[in-house]
């Protein structure tokens, strides 16, 4: 599911299943995922009828998304019976719950290309949790978590059209060669009116035993009604986009320690991402891997991730926050590192990675764990 705009923790996972008849005329897709706490469980299901030249079907889903916004302000803290003035370096974790129902049609153009169109109605509601980090005269005192008031829910209608292509050949944990792409335009109406554009292009070049994988990804919201008080910002630092900038790495005094970089530079209503990976199958089928294994196929990769987030105020020159601690001037960010992916008995693909963010080298590398296939 190529959707921008999530704020990711270091752990994400999911299970998908496909059911169908012998001829493949009727197919049922189901999936469930978890990214964070118990109320971050999401699910989706779709039915597709392929009996005619133009496919049709319906879908339902409930998907939680996460984003984050940091702020610094004067506050007070009660210790015992004494109330002292403090500086609160707070991180607001914003969850958007998306419940959708709709229908779609698909027109195959060839075995590798198709056109898609759909209509759906979606209900959005929210949850806001604040992580408070209290400082007194520069010394960290305490971290607390509070539930904050949430914006009211609303309904949105949506129509979309997409051009999709995929001629890739897969290995044990991801594509080995070929090209995948999706170009999608959506129109939203109802409580808010705007357009979204998605361009996702991936190229895989096999130079045995290596695969060089590249991806160029853009997701953005366009129009005069793109309002951040209604829509959560898109978060660039999720581990499926730019690794090393996950939201939990901005806790406590990491939020503004650099003085010229904060989590706010990673959010906006538009993002662009570039990824480069050199992948080497370590274990798996003998003809593909260095070590023969039928139990745990694995793949080692070296990567470079880069990207930038911005909004309707432009790329540069946005105003700074208190004493320049929160600088909203938009700059590209990048990270590099290594990852190890493994196929767990054909049921799930796990990725453990170590990423060094170039803009935050003072903090060293960041470990992460994903349960997602290779892009």
């Amino acid at each position: 599911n190529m959707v921008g705009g999530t704020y990711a923790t270091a752990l994400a996972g999911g299970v998908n299943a496909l059911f169908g008849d012998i001829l493949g005329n009727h197919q049922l897709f189901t999936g469930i995922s978890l990214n964070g706490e118990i109320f971050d469980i999401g699910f989706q299901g779709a039915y597709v009828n392929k009996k005619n030249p133009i496919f049709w079907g319906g879908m339902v889903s409930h998907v939680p998304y996460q984003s984050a916004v940091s702020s610094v302000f004067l506050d007070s803290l009660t210790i015992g019976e004494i109330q002292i003035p403090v500086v609160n370096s707070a991180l607001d974790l914003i969850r958007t719950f998306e419940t959708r129902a709709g229908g779609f049609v698909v027109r195959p153009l060839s075995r590798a290309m198709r056109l898609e169109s759909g209509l759906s109605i979606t209900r959005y509601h929210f949850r806001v949790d604040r992580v408070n980090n209290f400082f007194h005269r520069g010394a960290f005192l305490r971290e607390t978590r509070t539930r904050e008031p949430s914006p009211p829910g609303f309904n949105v209608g949506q129509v979309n059209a997409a051009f999709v292509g995929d001629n890739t050949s897969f290995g044990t944990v991801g594509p080995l060669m070929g090209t995948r792409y999706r170009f999608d335009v959506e129109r939203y109406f109802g409580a808010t009116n705007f357009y979204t554009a998605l361009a996702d292009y991936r190229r895989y070049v096999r130079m045995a035993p290596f695969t060089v994988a590249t991806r160029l990804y853009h997701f953005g919201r366009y129009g005069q009604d793109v309002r951040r008080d209604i829509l959560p910002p898109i978060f660039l630092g999720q581990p499926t986009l730019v690794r090393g900038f996950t939201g939990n790495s901005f806790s406590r005094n990491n939020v503004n320690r650099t003085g010229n970089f904060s989590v706010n530079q990673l959010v906006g209503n538009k993002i662009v991402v570039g990824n480069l990976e050199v992948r080497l199958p370590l274990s798996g089928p003998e003809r593909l891997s260095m070590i023969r294994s039928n139990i745990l196929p694995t793949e080692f990769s070296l990567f470079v991730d880069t990207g930038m987030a911005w909004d309707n105020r432009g790329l540069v020159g946005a105003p700074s926050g208190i004493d320049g601690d929160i600088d909203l001037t938009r700059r590209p960010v990048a990270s590099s590192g290594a990852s190890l992916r493994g196929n767990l008995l054909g049921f799930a693909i796990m990725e453990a990675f170590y990423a060094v963010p170039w803009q935050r080298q003072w903090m060293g590398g960041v470990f992460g764990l994903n349960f997602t296939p290779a892009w």
Side-chain angles (χ1 to χ4, degrees):
N1 186 20
M2 293 180 284
V3 178
T6 60
Y7 164 95
T9 62
L11 179 63
V15 177
N16 299 297
L18 170 63
F19 306 91
D21 59 0
I22 295 177
L23 298 178
N25 291 331
H26 305 275
Q27 293 184 334
L28 178 65
F29 300 84
T30 61
I32 186 170
S33 63
L34 172 63
N35 178 20
E37 302 180 49
I38 190 66
F39 41 77
D40 293 315
I41 292 177
F43 62 87
Q44 57 184 348
Y47 166 75
V48 181
N49 187 312
K50 294 185 175 182
K51 191 173 182 178
N52 301 307
I54 298 180
F55 305 162
W56 61 270
M59 55 84 65
V60 293
S61 66
H62 174 77
V63 182
Y65 298 106
Q66 297 184 40
S67 60
V69 175
S70 66
S71 58
V72 179
F73 53 90
L74 297 178
D75 204 342
S76 61
L77 180 65
T78 301
I79 300 179
E81 297 181 355
I82 303 175
Q83 189 175 64
I84 62 174
V86 294
V87 174
N88 189 350
S89 181
L91 185 68
D92 287 343
L93 306 178
I94 305 170
R95 287 177 170 85
T96 302
F97 301 99
E98 176 190 87
T99 303
R100 175 182 297 183
F104 55 85
V105 294
V106 179
R107 179 65 169 96
L109 303 176
S110 68
R111 293 180 62 90
M113 294 185 294
R114 65 184 186 269
L115 295 174
E116 298 179 0
S117 182
L119 170 67
S120 66
I121 301 295
T122 307
R123 173 68 179 176
Y124 291 91
H125 64 281
F126 305 92
R127 176 190 174 104
V128 180
D129 295 285
R130 172 168 292 178
V131 180
N132 303 284
N133 297 286
F134 298 109
F135 295 83
H136 181 67
R137 297 180 180 177
F140 175 74
L141 297 180
R142 182 181 300 172
E143 179 179 292
T144 64
R145 181 164 175 161
T146 57
R147 177 80 176 270
E148 298 296 311
S150 302
F154 59 91
N155 300 318
V156 174
Q158 175 255 345
V159 293
N160 79 291
F163 176 54
V164 185
D166 188 348
N167 65 356
T168 54
S169 299
F170 269 69
T172 56
V173 299
L176 290 176
M177 63 182 69
T179 304
R180 309 177 78 185
Y181 53 84
R182 182 181 183 90
F183 304 100
D184 193 328
V185 176
E186 298 180 327
R187 172 74 165 92
Y188 290 84
F189 56 90
T192 184
N193 294 274
F194 63 95
Y195 296 88
T196 67
L198 170 69
D200 189 341
Y201 182 85
R202 312 174 186 190
R203 176 67 175 164
Y204 310 93
V205 179
R206 178 72 172 167
M207 296 183 291
F210 299 95
T211 292
V212 178
T214 56
R215 177 175 70 170
L216 183 61
Y217 177 94
H218 167 68
F219 180 79
R221 301 172 179 139
Y222 296 87
Q224 297 299 318
D225 203 18
V226 178
R227 296 164 48 192
R228 298 184 73 178
D229 60 335
I230 293 181
L231 299 167
I234 306 168
F235 184 65
L236 184 65
Q238 59 174 302
T240 55
L241 295 177
V242 181
R243 286 160 284 195
F245 293 90
T246 51
N248 59 338
S249 68
F250 288 88
S251 62
R252 295 191 178 181
N253 58 340
N254 290 344
V255 175
N256 296 302
R257 182 172 173 178
T258 60
N260 60 1
F261 185 85
S262 80
V263 67
N264 291 347
Q265 295 181 23
L266 300 175
V267 297
N269 52 44
K270 301 175 182 66
I271 62 170
V272 62
V273 175
N275 306 99
L276 171 66
E277 285 193 6
V278 179
R279 301 170 177 173
L280 174 64
L282 291 181
S283 61
E286 184 176 4
R287 64 187 181 89
L288 295 178
S289 309
M290 299 178 63
I291 303 172
R292 181 179 179 180
S293 173
N294 296 324
I295 300 176
L296 182 63
T298 60
E299 178 184 81
F300 175 79
S301 70
L302 299 175
F303 65 83
V304 176
D305 296 339
T306 184
M308 184 165 62
W310 71 97
D311 55 30
N312 288 353
R313 290 176 293 180
L315 300 179
V316 296
S320 298
I322 301 173
D323 298 327
D325 284 338
I326 302 177
D327 182 2
L328 295 183
T329 301
R330 303 314 176 111
R331 305 181 182 93
V333 298
S335 66
S336 57
S339 75
L340 180 66
R341 295 184 177 98
N343 190 325
L344 305 179
L345 302 177
F347 291 100
I349 296 176
M350 179 181 68
E351 178 194 21
F353 67 84
Y354 179 79
V356 177
W358 296 2
Q359 283 70 26
R360 304 170 69 199
Q361 294 182 2
W362 53 268
M363 66 168 288
V366 176
F367 287 98
L369 186 65
N370 291 326
F371 284 87
T372 55
W375 49 262

